[in-house]
Amino acid sequence: MMFRILRWAAAAALTALPATAGDVSSFSLPNGLEVVVIEDHRAPVVVQMVWYRAGAADEKPGLSGIAHYLEHLMFKGTDTMAPGEFSRVVEDNGGSDNAFTSWDFTAYFQRIAADRLELVMRMEADRMRNLKLTEDDWRTEREVVIEERNQRTDSDPGAIFSEQRRAAQYLNHPYGTPIIGWRHEMENLTRQDALDWYQTYYAPNNAVLVVAGDVEPDQVRTLAETYYGPLAPSPDIKTRARPQEPPQLSERRMSFADPRVSQPYVARGYLAPERDPGAQDKAAALTILADLLGGDGQTAFLARKLQFDQKVAIYTSASYDGTSLDDSTFNLAVAPAEGVSLAEAEAAMDKALAEFLETGVDPAAFARVKTRIHASMIYAEDNVNGLARRYGEALTTGLTIADVQAWPDVMDAVTEDDVMDAAREVFDRKRAVTGWMMREGQEEVMQ
């Protein structure tokens, strides 16, 4: 689809029509910074995103949470900006800014009027190499991230359950470590830990700059050369090599009980392949499989079987996200109806999966899912922030611009047989972690 958009845009240019979203160009600066420009001239707005190839899965043992901690500290001062001034300037100019950390990357972005691009580019380039941390800055912010863990994880039994299941899923790979960090390690993070992380990874040759919106490529190149171009690359950037999982030879099972649980449920994750550069077919099939099984609460296979036909569940889901540097997971969940035990809910889920594997994909459901996915990709072209994120996330997880642009066609090419082949491969209980979340005092014994 992206190629069709590009061809349309080229034809439109010949007739002096304005370009639409989807015109993508790229270049690199001598210092190693990769730059992607996505044109969308329908509104005088621009999004600038800087993505670093450094996330929670790149942390050293014992320093969990340092990637996310440094994300917070990046909003402190530089030689030319006081702590907090960055966001205040963006807001004063009618824009918004934020940041986020994942296992594979850390990203910073601003959405602002197109004529303010130079302003935010100057500020973002400044903090790429000139961050200043006082004693008060790092101590105060460490308490902030610990409190964030209190609110988002420790106070939520579902989040704790998810964290524990992920740790069981990845015994050796750092995807098993929470992005926010283990609390006992977060409490010991220091200013020097943050500076070491910053000085190692925050460099132009470890970053991707994505600019999307009402901009011209030549304009972005000039600004990038002016503000990012003088920044020295880091000589210490190494190829990302992480500990990998040993072969999983048997299913792992766990239970978690907490008095705050309001709705017990069964969750299962299977190790699954990620999107690989030039080889996205299997990930595309798994994406469609997840939609077939759990993408729609009314018509998806698990919903119809367990919620409406058998009435043994009040909620079902299936999910898969293949945009990661290393192996991902394919996840299922079932919340039992009143009077149905977790053992019965899990058995019903397994029976439904066995039926799906035996009978195959319903052609009407397959067509409906592909139409819905195709439509969502078209609608996504209207969101410049989403477009910028699509490219930044891909380029920091090993994919290329060509892979991003090929993805719609790869999805279109998936057949029913491809989906079934992917299902048979991924639904291997020996590569799964199954968990029961229960209310304390009403525990069930796992089989």
Side-chain angles (χ1 to χ4, degrees):
M1 183 190 74
M2 187 67 73
F3 290 128
R4 291 197 291 275
I5 292 174
L6 289 171
R7 288 196 294 268
W8 179 89
L14 294 176
T15 57
L17 293 174
T20 186
D23 297 297
V24 180
S25 57
S26 65
F27 57 91
S28 295
L29 298 184
N31 60 9
L33 179 71
E34 294 182 47
V35 185
V36 178
V37 182
I38 307 168
E39 294 180 69
D40 183 350
H41 301 289
R42 293 173 294 182
V45 175
V46 67
V47 172
Q48 176 186 231
M49 282 188 161
V50 170
W51 297 71
Y52 294 97
R53 292 184 175 90
D58 301 298
E59 296 166 341
K60 293 180 180 178
L63 294 176
S64 65
I66 192 66
H68 174 253
Y69 179 37
L70 195 275
E71 176 212 310
H72 277 245
L73 291 171
M74 283 290 283
F75 291 87
K76 302 304 179 181
T78 67
D79 287 335
T80 60
M81 301 199 79
E85 185 179 355
F86 189 113
S87 294
R88 286 198 300 272
V89 170
V90 172
E91 184 177 1
D92 289 346
N93 282 270
S96 60
D97 74 315
N98 214 324
F100 48 90
T101 303
S102 183
W103 282 279
D104 295 315
F105 52 76
T106 309
Y108 302 83
F109 68 91
Q110 305 85 41
R111 180 181 176 89
I112 202 163
D115 62 1
R116 301 294 195 275
L117 174 60
E118 182 172 8
L119 170 67
V120 294
M121 194 174 285
R122 173 179 56 78
M123 293 194 300
E124 192 66 83
D126 180 33
R127 69 175 174 178
M128 180 179 281
R129 279 308 214 182
N130 300 313
L131 182 67
K132 300 297 180 184
L133 299 179
T134 70
E135 287 294 322
D136 289 340
D137 286 339
W138 75 268
R139 291 184 187 277
T140 301
E141 207 61 39
R142 188 177 64 182
E143 295 308 308
V144 169
V145 295
I146 291 172
E147 180 57 28
E148 183 177 337
R149 181 182 169 89
N150 288 339
Q151 294 180 5
R152 295 188 178 184
T153 304
D154 296 336
S155 65
D156 180 356
I160 298 173
F161 179 52
S162 177
E163 184 178 82
Q164 293 292 305
R165 283 189 296 108
R166 191 171 184 97
Q169 189 92 61
Y170 295 99
L171 294 184
N172 196 50
H173 193 285
Y175 282 168
T177 301
I179 294 169
I180 199 166
W182 299 114
R183 184 187 182 95
H184 67 286
E185 293 182 349
M186 297 168 66
E187 291 172 341
N188 292 316
L189 294 176
T190 68
R191 175 177 179 271
Q192 191 58 51
D193 293 331
L195 288 174
D196 288 346
W197 181 266
Y198 174 71
Q199 291 161 1
T200 298
Y201 292 110
Y202 280 52
N205 54 324
N206 197 45
V208 179
L209 168 65
V210 183
V211 179
D214 190 18
V215 293
E216 300 288 346
D218 288 345
Q219 169 199 7
V220 174
R221 180 186 289 272
T222 298
L223 291 174
E225 289 174 343
T226 300
Y227 295 106
Y228 291 101
L231 302 179
S234 171
D236 299 323
I237 302 298
K238 298 180 176 61
T239 302
R240 299 168 92 177
R242 298 160 170 174
Q244 296 297 303
E245 282 295 288
Q248 184 176 338
L249 304 179
S250 65
E251 181 185 15
R252 298 165 193 155
R253 299 180 66 79
M254 58 163 288
S255 61
F256 174 75
D258 190 290
R260 299 168 294 178
V261 172
S262 58
Q263 174 59 61
Y265 65 89
V266 179
R268 181 182 296 155
Y270 300 85
L271 286 175
E274 77 282 10
R275 289 169 63 182
D276 289 321
Q280 303 181 90
D281 308 67
K282 192 172 293 185
L286 289 171
T287 300
I288 293 176
L289 174 64
D291 208 315
L292 283 166
L293 292 176
D296 185 284
Q298 301 297 317
T299 63
F301 182 83
L302 291 177
R304 287 190 293 105
K305 289 291 180 183
L306 305 184
Q307 295 175 232
F308 302 112
D309 293 349
Q310 301 174 29
K311 295 181 173 57
V312 297
I314 59 171
Y315 173 79
T316 57
S317 72
S319 62
Y320 166 77
D321 182 359
T323 309
S324 62
L325 190 62
D326 298 311
D327 276 356
S328 183
T329 56
F330 191 103
N331 302 295
L332 303 170
V334 176
E338 186 70 27
V340 177
S341 69
L342 290 171
E344 290 168 335
E346 183 182 348
M349 179 181 73
D350 286 333
K351 184 177 179 180
L353 291 176
E355 180 180 337
F356 179 83
L357 291 172
E358 181 179 349
T359 60
V361 176
D362 174 63
F366 183 73
R368 184 168 58 247
V369 164
K370 291 196 78 172
T371 298
R372 181 166 64 240
I373 292 175
H374 189 81
S376 69
M377 290 181 179
I378 294 174
Y379 297 145
E381 302 295 331
D382 289 332
N383 185 332
V384 291
N385 189 74
L387 284 172
R389 180 160 184 154
R390 182 189 304 175
Y391 280 88
E393 189 171 354
L395 292 172
T396 50
T397 55
L399 299 173
T400 66
I401 290 175
D403 291 319
V404 177
Q405 295 179 336
W407 180 245
D409 290 332
V410 173
M411 292 286 287
D412 282 345
V414 172
T415 66
E416 296 172 27
D417 287 342
D418 293 333
V419 170
M420 295 310 301
D421 288 344
R424 294 185 188 97
E425 179 179 339
V426 78
F427 292 144
D428 179 355
R429 291 284 287 273
K430 291 186 296 185
R431 291 167 54 82
V433 172
T434 301
W436 288 7
M437 187 170 82
M438 300 171 283
R439 186 180 299 114
E440 191 172 288
Q442 300 180 9
E443 293 93 339
E444 299 179 35
V445 179
M446 294 192 78
Q447 303 299 318

